[in-house]
Amino acid sequence: MSTGVLIVLIVIVVVAAVVIGALALNRRAAGPHGPRNLKRRFGPEYERVVSRHDGDTKAADQELTERVQRHGDLRERPLEPAEREQFAARWAAAQEHFVESPQQAVADADLLLAELAGARGFPDGGQYEEQFAALSVHHAHHVHGYRRVHHAAHEERADTEEMRTAMIEARAFFDELVGERERPRPKSKSRLNKLQLKGS
């Protein structure tokens, strides 16, 4: 075998190895915890985590991958009709109280969401960070409402507009978590509907 043929064969083997390696990397990136799928799965939450890591996407990907590994297998427990009605009534009461006492309404909404998440099978609300992490894996596109209302409930200087916005975003999360399609609709309009706290 001539030296020229040997060199050509070596080049072919090297090129083939590079191509196979590149394909393997792409397959890994596109895997269940790859950046593209994490972005799709977490939506706005992905951008918030990247921002919290000062733009370091690798750190964000690692954090979100760990969340999926910890909580991805969690099976949500369906609510009984009576439970759903009770949570819906409590949410309506929190909205009603917003007019007279925004801070108390936000605190009630925060507690209600923690209890609702617990009833659905998520970690206990007493461990907010862990509960939020689990919720973000399964309800990433609306979980920011929980974060907003939790922050407003624990922020002494939150203004009324900030609390109102938090309640609107939390309502979208509540509807998703309680099961909006199955939840009975209120028969009469509440005073909070005038403030458009239903978010619709």
Side-chain angles (χ1 to χ4, degrees), residues 96-147:
E96 286 287 343
H97 294 146
F98 188 89
V99 178
E100 290 82 19
S101 179
Q103 187 69 49
Q104 185 59 51
V106 166
D108 290 346
D110 178 46
L111 179 62
L112 173 60
L113 289 175
E115 290 180 15
L116 174 56
R120 293 298 311 273
F122 290 93
D124 181 78
Q127 302 171 337
Y128 168 76
E129 293 297 334
E130 192 66 12
Q131 187 182 64
F132 184 89
L135 287 164
S136 73
V137 172
H138 297 272
H139 297 278
H141 292 272
H142 290 103
V143 75
H144 183 59
Y146 185 22
R147 178 191 282 117

Side-chain angles (χ1 to χ4, degrees), residues 17-194:
V18 169
V19 169
I20 290 170
L23 289 173
L25 284 174
N26 284 339
R27 198 172 298 125
R28 194 176 304 154
H33 308 312
R36 289 183 197 148
N37 282 332
L38 287 172
K39 258 182 138 172
R40 191 179 313 115
R41 178 171 194 158
F42 283 94
E45 179 65 9
Y46 182 87
E47 300 305 328
R48 291 185 194 105
V49 174
V50 170
S51 176
R52 202 175 69 247
H53 284 284
D54 298 321
D56 185 345
T57 55
K58 286 185 179 179
D61 291 346
Q62 182 177 348
E63 178 183 329
L64 294 174
T65 296
E66 289 172 0
R67 287 192 201 180
V68 173
Q69 289 170 345
R70 281 200 318 273
H71 304 294
D73 291 335
L74 185 147
R75 294 287 174 261
E76 295 183 60
R77 185 181 76 78
L79 295 174
E80 296 293 332
E83 287 180 297
R84 188 176 294 110
E85 288 176 17
Q86 184 181 39
F87 282 118
R90 287 176 61 193
W91 184 268
Q95 287 190 155
E96 286 287 343
H97 294 146
F98 188 89
V99 178
E100 290 82 19
S101 179
Q103 187 69 49
Q104 185 59 51
V106 166
D108 290 346
D110 178 46
L111 179 62
L112 173 60
L113 289 175
E115 290 180 15
L116 174 56
R120 293 298 311 273
F122 290 93
D124 181 78
Q127 302 171 337
Y128 168 76
E129 293 297 334
E130 192 66 12
Q131 187 182 64
F132 184 89
L135 287 164
S136 73
V137 172
H138 297 272
H139 297 278
H141 292 272
H142 290 103
V143 75
H144 183 59
Y146 185 22
R147 178 191 282 117
R148 286 288 299 267
V149 86
H150 184 78
H151 176 75
H154 294 85
E155 176 59 55
E156 293 180 7
R157 298 180 182 178
D159 61 33
T160 303
E161 181 58 25
E162 183 181 343
M163 289 187 283
R164 189 184 75 83
T165 302
M167 286 288 283
I168 291 170
E169 292 188 14
R171 175 59 186 262
F173 177 62
F174 172 82
D175 285 343
E176 181 172 304
L177 201 57
V178 81
E180 171 66 18
R181 292 177 187 167
E182 303 169 51
R183 186 171 62 80
R185 296 229 177 229
K187 293 180 181 177
S188 61
K189 292 184 177 180
S190 71
R191 292 171 65 188
L192 266 189
N193 288 345
K194 296 174 184 178

